[in-house]
PDB file of all heavy atoms in Angstrom:
ATOM      1  N   GLY A 256       0.156  46.155 -19.205  1.00  0.00           N
ATOM      2  CA  GLY A 256       0.194  44.876 -19.904  1.00  0.00           C
ATOM      3  C   GLY A 256       0.653  43.669 -19.121  1.00  0.00           C
ATOM      4  O   GLY A 256       0.565  42.536 -19.623  1.00  0.00           O
ATOM      5  N   VAL A 257       1.179  43.847 -17.902  1.00  0.00           N
ATOM      6  CA  VAL A 257       1.540  42.686 -17.088  1.00  0.00           C
ATOM      7  C   VAL A 257       0.238  41.997 -16.684  1.00  0.00           C
ATOM      8  O   VAL A 257      -0.707  42.648 -16.233  1.00  0.00           O
ATOM      9  CB  VAL A 257       2.336  43.107 -15.824  1.00  0.00           C
ATOM     10  CG1 VAL A 257       2.635  41.903 -14.936  1.00  0.00           C
ATOM     11  CG2 VAL A 257       3.639  43.796 -16.235  1.00  0.00           C
ATOM     12  N   SER A 258       0.161  40.683 -16.863  1.00  0.00           N
ATOM     13  CA  SER A 258      -1.120  39.997 -16.674  1.00  0.00           C
ATOM     14  C   SER A 258      -1.590  39.999 -15.228  1.00  0.00           C
ATOM     15  O   SER A 258      -2.770  40.187 -14.951  1.00  0.00           O
ATOM     16  CB  SER A 258      -1.030  38.557 -17.172  1.00  0.00           C
ATOM     17  OG  SER A 258      -0.962  38.548 -18.576  1.00  0.00           O
ATOM     18  N   ARG A 259      -0.654  39.763 -14.297  1.00  0.00           N
ATOM     19  CA  ARG A 259      -1.049  39.781 -12.899  1.00  0.00           C
ATOM     20  C   ARG A 259       0.146  40.069 -12.002  1.00  0.00           C
ATOM     21  O   ARG A 259       1.285  39.799 -12.376  1.00  0.00           O
ATOM     22  CB  ARG A 259      -1.722  38.468 -12.493  1.00  0.00           C
ATOM     23  CG  ARG A 259      -0.821  37.277 -12.578  1.00  0.00           C
ATOM     24  CD  ARG A 259      -1.604  36.022 -12.776  1.00  0.00           C
ATOM     25  NE  ARG A 259      -2.165  35.995 -14.108  1.00  0.00           N
ATOM     26  CZ  ARG A 259      -3.108  35.133 -14.500  1.00  0.00           C
ATOM     27  NH1 ARG A 259      -3.582  34.271 -13.669  1.00  0.00           N
ATOM     28  NH2 ARG A 259      -3.563  35.169 -15.741  1.00  0.00           N
ATOM     29  N   VAL A 260      -0.146  40.629 -10.863  1.00  0.00           N
ATOM     30  CA  VAL A 260       0.900  41.005  -9.909  1.00  0.00           C
ATOM     31  C   VAL A 260       0.564  40.364  -8.567  1.00  0.00           C
ATOM     32  O   VAL A 260      -0.603  40.322  -8.164  1.00  0.00           O
ATOM     33  CB  VAL A 260       0.991  42.541  -9.744  1.00  0.00           C
ATOM     34  CG1 VAL A 260       2.129  42.913  -8.819  1.00  0.00           C
ATOM     35  CG2 VAL A 260       1.177  43.213 -11.107  1.00  0.00           C
ATOM     36  N   HIS A 261       1.582  39.852  -7.901  1.00  0.00           N
ATOM     37  CA  HIS A 261       1.389  39.192  -6.613  1.00  0.00           C
ATOM     38  C   HIS A 261       2.149  39.951  -5.522  1.00  0.00           C
ATOM     39  O   HIS A 261       3.316  40.316  -5.715  1.00  0.00           O
ATOM     40  CB  HIS A 261       1.914  37.754  -6.665  1.00  0.00           C
ATOM     41  CG  HIS A 261       1.272  36.915  -7.718  1.00  0.00           C
ATOM     42  ND1 HIS A 261       0.202  36.092  -7.474  1.00  0.00           N
ATOM     43  CD2 HIS A 261       1.553  36.777  -9.038  1.00  0.00           C
ATOM     44  CE1 HIS A 261      -0.149  35.485  -8.591  1.00  0.00           C
ATOM     45  NE2 HIS A 261       0.654  35.887  -9.556  1.00  0.00           N
ATOM     46  N   ILE A 262       1.492  40.176  -4.393  1.00  0.00           N
ATOM     47  CA  ILE A 262       2.159  40.710  -3.207  1.00  0.00           C
ATOM     48  C   ILE A 262       2.222  39.566  -2.197  1.00  0.00           C
ATOM     49  O   ILE A 262       1.181  39.050  -1.760  1.00  0.00           O
ATOM     50  CB  ILE A 262       1.400  41.915  -2.622  1.00  0.00           C
ATOM     51  CG1 ILE A 262       1.392  43.064  -3.633  1.00  0.00           C
ATOM     52  CG2 ILE A 262       2.039  42.371  -1.317  1.00  0.00           C
ATOM     53  CD1 ILE A 262       0.600  44.279  -3.194  1.00  0.00           C
ATOM     54  N   LEU A 263       3.435  39.146  -1.855  1.00  0.00           N
ATOM     55  CA  LEU A 263       3.634  37.953  -1.043  1.00  0.00           C
ATOM     56  C   LEU A 263       4.435  38.257   0.219  1.00  0.00           C
ATOM     57  O   LEU A 263       5.268  39.174   0.237  1.00  0.00           O
ATOM     58  CB  LEU A 263       4.401  36.891  -1.848  1.00  0.00           C
ATOM     59  CG  LEU A 263       3.823  36.488  -3.201  1.00  0.00           C
ATOM     60  CD1 LEU A 263       4.769  35.529  -3.897  1.00  0.00           C
ATOM     61  CD2 LEU A 263       2.457  35.865  -3.021  1.00  0.00           C
ATOM     62  N   ASP A 264       4.211  37.456   1.233  1.00  0.00           N
ATOM     63  CA  ASP A 264       4.985  37.557   2.463  1.00  0.00           C
ATOM     64  C   ASP A 264       6.252  36.725   2.312  1.00  0.00           C
ATOM     65  O   ASP A 264       6.209  35.489   2.389  1.00  0.00           O
ATOM     66  CB  ASP A 264       4.146  37.049   3.648  1.00  0.00           C
ATOM     67  CG  ASP A 264       4.814  37.304   4.990  1.00  0.00           C
ATOM     68  OD1 ASP A 264       6.028  37.609   5.003  1.00  0.00           O
ATOM     69  OD2 ASP A 264       4.134  37.206   6.023  1.00  0.00           O
ATOM     70  N   GLY A 265       7.375  37.409   2.083  1.00  0.00           N
ATOM     71  CA  GLY A 265       8.644  36.717   1.869  1.00  0.00           C
ATOM     72  C   GLY A 265       9.153  35.982   3.088  1.00  0.00           C
ATOM     73  O   GLY A 265      10.109  35.201   2.995  1.00  0.00           O
ATOM     74  N   ARG A 266       8.517  36.190   4.253  1.00  0.00           N
ATOM     75  CA  ARG A 266       8.926  35.498   5.475  1.00  0.00           C
ATOM     76  C   ARG A 266       8.380  34.076   5.525  1.00  0.00           C
ATOM     77  O   ARG A 266       8.798  33.275   6.366  1.00  0.00           O
ATOM     78  CB  ARG A 266       8.453  36.286   6.705  1.00  0.00           C
ATOM     79  CG  ARG A 266       9.021  37.690   6.795  1.00  0.00           C
ATOM     80  CD  ARG A 266       8.295  38.525   7.826  1.00  0.00           C
ATOM     81  NE  ARG A 266       6.878  38.684   7.495  1.00  0.00           N
ATOM     82  CZ  ARG A 266       6.022  39.396   8.216  1.00  0.00           C
ATOM     83  NH1 ARG A 266       6.449  40.020   9.302  1.00  0.00           N
ATOM     84  NH2 ARG A 266       4.749  39.489   7.864  1.00  0.00           N
ATOM     85  N   ILE A 267       7.436  33.760   4.623  1.00  0.00           N
ATOM     86  CA  ILE A 267       6.869  32.408   4.570  1.00  0.00           C
ATOM     87  C   ILE A 267       7.734  31.551   3.652  1.00  0.00           C
ATOM     88  O   ILE A 267       7.954  31.909   2.490  1.00  0.00           O
ATOM     89  CB  ILE A 267       5.421  32.437   4.041  1.00  0.00           C
ATOM     90  CG1 ILE A 267       4.526  33.246   4.981  1.00  0.00           C
ATOM     91  CG2 ILE A 267       4.879  31.029   3.861  1.00  0.00           C
ATOM     92  CD1 ILE A 267       3.122  33.448   4.465  1.00  0.00           C
ATOM     93  N   PRO A 268       8.261  30.433   4.157  1.00  0.00           N
ATOM     94  CA  PRO A 268       9.101  29.573   3.317  1.00  0.00           C
ATOM     95  C   PRO A 268       8.388  29.166   2.025  1.00  0.00           C
ATOM     96  O   PRO A 268       7.216  28.780   2.055  1.00  0.00           O
ATOM     97  CB  PRO A 268       9.374  28.353   4.220  1.00  0.00           C
ATOM     98  CG  PRO A 268       9.224  28.868   5.619  1.00  0.00           C
ATOM     99  CD  PRO A 268       8.138  29.910   5.535  1.00  0.00           C
ATOM    100  N   HIS A 269       9.077  29.310   0.913  1.00  0.00           N
ATOM    101  CA  HIS A 269       8.593  28.891  -0.409  1.00  0.00           C
ATOM    102  C   HIS A 269       7.280  29.577  -0.800  1.00  0.00           C
ATOM    103  O   HIS A 269       6.408  28.988  -1.463  1.00  0.00           O
ATOM    104  CB  HIS A 269       8.449  27.367  -0.475  1.00  0.00           C
ATOM    105  CG  HIS A 269       9.733  26.642  -0.200  1.00  0.00           C
ATOM    106  ND1 HIS A 269      10.852  26.790  -0.998  1.00  0.00           N
ATOM    107  CD2 HIS A 269      10.080  25.809   0.813  1.00  0.00           C
ATOM    108  CE1 HIS A 269      11.839  26.052  -0.495  1.00  0.00           C
ATOM    109  NE2 HIS A 269      11.398  25.471   0.598  1.00  0.00           N
ATOM    110  N   CYS A 270       7.168  30.863  -0.410  1.00  0.00           N
ATOM    111  CA  CYS A 270       5.942  31.613  -0.708  1.00  0.00           C
ATOM    112  C   CYS A 270       5.672  31.703  -2.210  1.00  0.00           C
ATOM    113  O   CYS A 270       4.512  31.677  -2.640  1.00  0.00           O
ATOM    114  CB  CYS A 270       6.013  33.002  -0.078  1.00  0.00           C
ATOM    115  SG  CYS A 270       7.370  34.030  -0.691  1.00  0.00           S
ATOM    116  N   LEU A 271       6.707  31.811  -3.005  1.00  0.00           N
ATOM    117  CA  LEU A 271       6.518  31.913  -4.457  1.00  0.00           C
ATOM    118  C   LEU A 271       5.846  30.674  -5.026  1.00  0.00           C
ATOM    119  O   LEU A 271       4.902  30.763  -5.822  1.00  0.00           O
ATOM    120  CB  LEU A 271       7.875  32.107  -5.150  1.00  0.00           C
ATOM    121  CG  LEU A 271       8.332  33.519  -5.482  1.00  0.00           C
ATOM    122  CD1 LEU A 271       9.741  33.479  -6.043  1.00  0.00           C
ATOM    123  CD2 LEU A 271       7.389  34.192  -6.453  1.00  0.00           C
ATOM    124  N   LEU A 272       6.321  29.504  -4.605  1.00  0.00           N
ATOM    125  CA  LEU A 272       5.739  28.263  -5.119  1.00  0.00           C
ATOM    126  C   LEU A 272       4.291  28.106  -4.662  1.00  0.00           C
ATOM    127  O   LEU A 272       3.427  27.689  -5.437  1.00  0.00           O
ATOM    128  CB  LEU A 272       6.560  27.055  -4.641  1.00  0.00           C
ATOM    129  CG  LEU A 272       8.026  27.004  -5.067  1.00  0.00           C
ATOM    130  CD1 LEU A 272       8.639  25.678  -4.668  1.00  0.00           C
ATOM    131  CD2 LEU A 272       8.180  27.224  -6.573  1.00  0.00           C
ATOM    132  N   LEU A 273       4.025  28.458  -3.416  1.00  0.00           N
ATOM    133  CA  LEU A 273       2.676  28.323  -2.883  1.00  0.00           C
ATOM    134  C   LEU A 273       1.691  29.225  -3.620  1.00  0.00           C
ATOM    135  O   LEU A 273       0.555  28.842  -3.882  1.00  0.00           O
ATOM    136  CB  LEU A 273       2.665  28.656  -1.382  1.00  0.00           C
ATOM    137  CG  LEU A 273       3.380  27.643  -0.481  1.00  0.00           C
ATOM    138  CD1 LEU A 273       3.541  28.214   0.924  1.00  0.00           C
ATOM    139  CD2 LEU A 273       2.611  26.329  -0.430  1.00  0.00           C
ATOM    140  N   GLU A 274       2.144  30.424  -3.978  1.00  0.00           N
ATOM    141  CA  GLU A 274       1.248  31.361  -4.669  1.00  0.00           C
ATOM    142  C   GLU A 274       1.051  30.985  -6.129  1.00  0.00           C
ATOM    143  O   GLU A 274      -0.056  31.056  -6.665  1.00  0.00           O
ATOM    144  CB  GLU A 274       1.799  32.785  -4.573  1.00  0.00           C
ATOM    145  CG  GLU A 274       0.999  33.829  -5.317  1.00  0.00           C
ATOM    146  CD  GLU A 274      -0.406  34.057  -4.768  1.00  0.00           C
ATOM    147  OE1 GLU A 274      -0.717  33.591  -3.654  1.00  0.00           O
ATOM    148  OE2 GLU A 274      -1.214  34.678  -5.473  1.00  0.00           O
ATOM    149  N   ILE A 275       2.120  30.562  -6.783  1.00  0.00           N
ATOM    150  CA  ILE A 275       2.059  30.333  -8.231  1.00  0.00           C
ATOM    151  C   ILE A 275       1.490  28.958  -8.586  1.00  0.00           C
ATOM    152  O   ILE A 275       0.772  28.816  -9.568  1.00  0.00           O
ATOM    153  CB  ILE A 275       3.457  30.524  -8.860  1.00  0.00           C
ATOM    154  CG1 ILE A 275       3.847  32.007  -8.781  1.00  0.00           C
ATOM    155  CG2 ILE A 275       3.493  30.035 -10.302  1.00  0.00           C
ATOM    156  CD1 ILE A 275       5.258  32.299  -9.227  1.00  0.00           C
ATOM    157  N   PHE A 276       1.772  27.946  -7.756  1.00  0.00           N
ATOM    158  CA  PHE A 276       1.442  26.581  -8.134  1.00  0.00           C
ATOM    159  C   PHE A 276       0.263  25.954  -7.391  1.00  0.00           C
ATOM    160  O   PHE A 276      -0.006  24.778  -7.568  1.00  0.00           O
ATOM    161  CB  PHE A 276       2.659  25.668  -7.946  1.00  0.00           C
ATOM    162  CG  PHE A 276       3.749  25.900  -8.943  1.00  0.00           C
ATOM    163  CD1 PHE A 276       5.081  25.856  -8.567  1.00  0.00           C
ATOM    164  CD2 PHE A 276       3.463  26.167 -10.268  1.00  0.00           C
ATOM    165  CE1 PHE A 276       6.099  26.068  -9.483  1.00  0.00           C
ATOM    166  CE2 PHE A 276       4.466  26.380 -11.194  1.00  0.00           C
ATOM    167  CZ  PHE A 276       5.785  26.318 -10.800  1.00  0.00           C
TER     168      PHE A 276
END
Side-chain angles (χ1 to χ4, degrees):
V257 176
S258 289
R259 64 205 71 193
V260 183
H261 302 265
I262 296 177
L263 306 175
D264 188 345
R266 299 167 299 182
I267 298 174
H269 301 298
C270 61
L271 265 175
L272 299 187
L273 291 169
E274 177 65 13
I275 291 174
F276 289 141

